[in-house]
Amino acid sequence: QVQLVESGGGLVLTGGSLRLSCAASGRTLYAMGWFRQAPGKEREFVAGISPRGSLTYYADSVKGRFTISRDNTKNTVFLQMNSLKPEDTAVYSCAARLLVVVTDMGAYDYWGQGTQVTVSS
């Protein structure tokens, strides 16, 4: 069983930045994904990173603005979000699965509780 705990959400103005963190328990290296769900919308894939951090993946909507990274010595994954827009407002959740990153949220085995990101215009 893996426990994931997100932090770093908050309220920011358009154009601002936030850095989300996802701390994982245990010692197994998982492929990690960040997903988000806005009110009235389905959860969507935002970014993913391979177990050792060599491969990263992004949704088109965040490419060039968001950066996913990880520090395996601290079992933590980060999502640096720059140039934030009101449409980035959502609950952001991290998720873990073995081996490879996929965009299908149903393929992830473990989820955090989520952290709210609100971008005000």
Side-chain angles (χ1 to χ4, degrees):
Q1 189 75 10
V2 175
Q3 290 186 324
L4 304 175
V5 179
E6 301 98 334
S7 60
L11 173 65
V12 65
L13 294 176
T14 297
S17 298
L18 283 173
R19 188 193 197 202
L20 305 183
S21 299
C22 173
S25 64
R27 300 175 64 180
T28 301
L29 294 181
Y30 290 88
M32 300 294 295
W34 282 99
F35 292 79
R36 67 185 181 187
Q37 186 168 22
K41 295 187 177 182
E42 292 187 353
R43 183 176 287 178
E44 63 176 357
F45 174 82
V46 175
I49 189 165
S50 60
R52 298 199 178 276
S54 57
L55 298 173
T56 58
Y57 308 84
Y58 298 94
D60 288 342
S61 59
V62 306
K63 278 181 183 176
R65 300 189 298 123
F66 291 11
T67 302
I68 189 170
S69 62
R70 65 191 300 159
D71 182 346
N72 285 342
T73 65
K74 299 179 180 178
N75 279 357
T76 302
V77 175
F78 305 98
L79 185 67
Q80 178 67 43
M81 305 185 296
N82 299 328
S83 302
L84 283 162
K85 306 174 181 180
E87 51 264 42
D88 294 318
T89 295
V91 174
Y92 285 70
S93 301
C94 64
R97 69 184 304 272
L98 290 173
L99 298 179
V100 299
V101 172
V102 297
T103 60
D104 177 10
M105 63 179 182
Y108 286 79
D109 299 306
Y110 306 103
W111 289 84
Q113 82 287 353
T115 185
Q116 176 70 46
V117 171
T118 303
V119 184
S120 173
S121 57

